[in-house]
Amino acid sequence: MTTANTSGLVPIYDSMVAEHGDVPTQTREAAEEIQREVAEVLDWNRFRPGD
């Protein structure tokens, strides 16, 4: 597949996003939120004596 052929895939992707939503972006955002929550829960620094 050449780069000229890959430009033809964009309308297909755009129509899938229109139909199903931007699943990759939604997944990435959910994963980032989970990572923030886990980092907060596993923050052992708050249990250190003297801090």
Side-chain angles (χ1 to χ4, degrees), residues 4-49:
N5 291 341
T6 60
S7 65
L9 298 176
V10 175
I12 293 170
Y13 180 78
D14 290 342
S15 66
M16 291 182 71
V17 168
E19 185 176 338
H20 300 287
D22 193 350
V23 176
T25 298
Q26 293 169 350
T27 303
R28 185 180 328 100
E29 290 170 353
E32 290 169 352
E33 176 64 25
I34 291 168
Q35 286 177 330
R36 283 190 293 275
E37 291 175 8
V38 168
E40 185 178 320
V41 169
L42 296 178
D43 182 9
W44 294 98
N45 290 328
R46 63 185 169 168
F47 296 110
R48 277 196 201 155

